[in-house]
Amino acid sequence: MLGALGTGAVSYLTPLAAYAKTPSVIPYGAAVRTDPLYDDPAYKKAILDHCQIIVGEGGLKWIDLRPDRYSFDFTQADRQLAFAQEHGLEMRGHTLAWYAAMPDWTETIASPEEARLELVTHIQTVVGRYKGRISSWDVCNEPIAELPTRDAPIRDSIWLRQLGRDYIELALRTTAEIDPGARLVINDYNFEQANDTGRAKRKAFLDLVRELKAKDVPLHAVGLQGHINARIPIDRPGLTAFVAELDAMGLGVLVTELDVIDDALPAPEAERDAAVADFAKQYLEAIGEACKPEAILTWGISDRFTWVPIWFTRSDGLPNRPLPLDADYQPKPMMQVIKDFARSFDQ
Ligand code: 9MR
């Protein structure tokens, strides 16, 4: 049996890439936290009822894997993968090269040679361990600057400081070398915003992707995170044109981290949930006008576990409601939007 979105004859074990070629299914997934997968039966049931894919909200980040320069701690990622395999779910890998969630010791990386060694060794070890079991990687996460300019389009990080923008190519080539079967993704956010940030992000991202393609760097798909800020309108034509350009370059498109930042939305739940669903709908429709996404993942499944209040607590003190299930795992209109969108591609 497929999960809630599944209608086509695709088994749980079908690699992500194959879904893209199957006309009737866009698999749905969610970012997961490790402990409740095992300790909270209602959380586990929600994941199994709805998802074909999981991705660790943490676990494969440097801060989780690399307590020090010389060791790796795979505890969380192994538990997530064991869950995925036990239940026939895909697991995506997030993430190999990112500016954030880095352990302090990485700040002591002091030369290009050292940076190259650390990045390559990390990727060899992590991708090598999960080869054939994690079939899609966010190799590079959020490479574009917060407000990219012509002179500084790439975000500051230890990798950029030591290796320049070639760190992106290095990460992609190393991942491809270690697991030639893996689907390699660059993942970033704020592309949908109808403002200068949105426009600049789209341009800088397209420039980067064009450069990588021109150099024949292995890159198969792009991840549009979709942390939609409800204070900012969605630039539907801008987003559609952007996705159309990516699609024309032969790249797959995944929605990787969908949620709606609701701190500025009205308090009443029904009204707020409707607005959240509408933002998700506009976002997905704008993408869908240009291509059929390979997958849709939300960043968490239930309002019970979400990163949003870390940065976007509401001034009225009410809990955020950014995700497709409420805190008691009941579906909200956003879940229906995702299902309807996926079904709109059925033949
Ligand atoms: O949701 C994640 C949160 O629990 C972590 O503390 C944080 C730092 O590792 O990362 C959050 O996830 C981010 C993701 O990795 C990349 N895109 C933005 C996500 C939300 O901040």
Side-chain angles (χ1 to χ4, degrees):
M1 188 203 76
L2 278 166
L5 295 178
T7 51
V10 177
S11 96
Y12 268 133
L13 299 175
T14 306
L16 273 186
Y19 280 106
K21 299 189 196 90
T22 309
S24 58
V25 178
I26 299 178
Y28 168 72
V32 295
R33 297 194 180 171
T34 318
D35 287 342
L37 272 184
Y38 288 91
D39 303 344
D40 178 345
Y43 179 80
K44 173 178 168 180
K45 181 174 186 315
I47 296 293
L48 294 181
D49 282 351
H50 295 281
C51 296
Q52 292 90 54
I53 312 167
I54 60 169
V55 58
E57 192 177 347
L60 283 169
K61 294 173 176 174
W62 277 66
I63 196 148
D64 304 309
L65 285 173
R66 307 300 306 279
D68 58 57
R69 187 185 289 258
Y70 309 102
S71 51
F72 288 79
D73 179 353
F74 293 110
T75 315
Q76 274 201 71
D78 280 359
R79 291 181 77 205
Q80 293 163 3
L81 185 59
F83 181 90
Q85 292 195 314
E86 185 187 345
H87 298 288
L89 307 177
E90 289 281 325
M91 178 159 148
R92 301 200 63 247
H94 175 88
T95 175
L96 299 166
W98 191 24
Y99 77 97
M102 293 291 277
D104 288 345
W105 67 262
T106 55
E107 282 302 314
T108 66
I109 295 173
S111 70
E113 295 70 32
E114 208 182 318
R116 172 176 275 272
L117 182 70
E118 290 297 349
L119 185 58
V120 168
T121 307
H122 181 86
I123 293 175
Q124 284 172 339
T125 308
V126 178
V127 175
R129 181 181 183 90
Y130 297 114
K131 182 174 176 174
R133 297 186 294 160
I134 291 182
S135 55
S136 174
W137 277 101
D138 290 334
V139 176
C140 192
N141 194 41
E142 302 170 1
I144 305 300
E146 193 63 22
L147 185 52
T149 61
R150 211 153 64 131
D151 295 336
I154 306 297
R155 191 188 284 272
D156 183 52
S157 67
I158 190 70
W159 310 123
L160 183 75
R161 285 198 290 283
Q162 295 297 346
L163 296 168
R165 61 193 283 150
D166 288 353
Y167 85 85
I168 299 166
E169 177 176 346
L170 177 65
L172 286 161
R173 288 198 191 279
T174 308
T175 308
E177 202 179 296
I178 302 301
D179 187 353
R183 198 139 175 93
L184 309 191
V185 179
I186 298 187
N187 193 42
D188 216 321
Y189 67 102
N190 279 355
F191 299 125
E192 67 284 354
Q193 297 189 347
N195 58 18
D196 287 346
T197 301
R199 282 183 287 276
K201 280 258 180 180
R202 296 194 292 267
K203 181 182 182 316
F205 192 79
L206 285 172
D207 287 349
L208 171 64
V209 166
R210 272 194 210 99
E211 176 190 313
L212 293 168
K213 295 295 278 182
K215 288 170 144 178
D216 233 0
V217 176
L219 172 67
H220 308 116
V222 297
L224 313 182
Q225 292 187 359
H227 294 293
I228 302 169
N229 188 332
R231 289 174 190 271
I232 302 166
I234 293 178
D235 181 348
R236 285 189 61 151
L239 182 55
T240 301
F242 172 68
V243 174
E245 286 214 44
L246 294 165
D247 184 57
M249 280 189 255
L251 291 163
V253 172
L254 296 87
V255 176
T256 47
E257 304 188 13
L258 185 62
D259 54 20
V260 179
I261 298 167
D262 65 333
D263 59 329
L265 289 176
E269 284 183 7
E271 201 181 333
R272 186 141 46 109
D273 292 351
V276 163
D278 190 57
F279 270 98
K281 185 166 187 281
Q282 288 186 51
Y283 181 79
L284 292 175
E285 283 178 357
I287 294 168
E289 273 180 42
C291 78
K292 174 187 165 189
E294 286 179 18
I296 300 169
L297 291 93
T298 50
W299 203 243
I301 195 164
S302 149
D303 295 334
R304 185 179 287 256
F305 301 111
T306 163
W307 71 284
V308 170
I310 302 174
W311 300 105
F312 300 98
T313 39
R314 293 177 58 90
S315 56
D316 58 15
L318 291 172
N320 297 91
R321 301 175 65 84
L323 286 165
L325 304 183
D326 71 14
D328 297 319
Y329 304 108
Q330 296 308 304
K332 293 156 53 188
M334 182 181 179
M335 184 58 95
Q336 195 59 45
V337 161
I338 296 171
K339 289 180 185 176
D340 289 348
F341 176 77
R343 291 200 179 114
S344 73
F345 287 87
D346 284 5
Q347 298 300 309

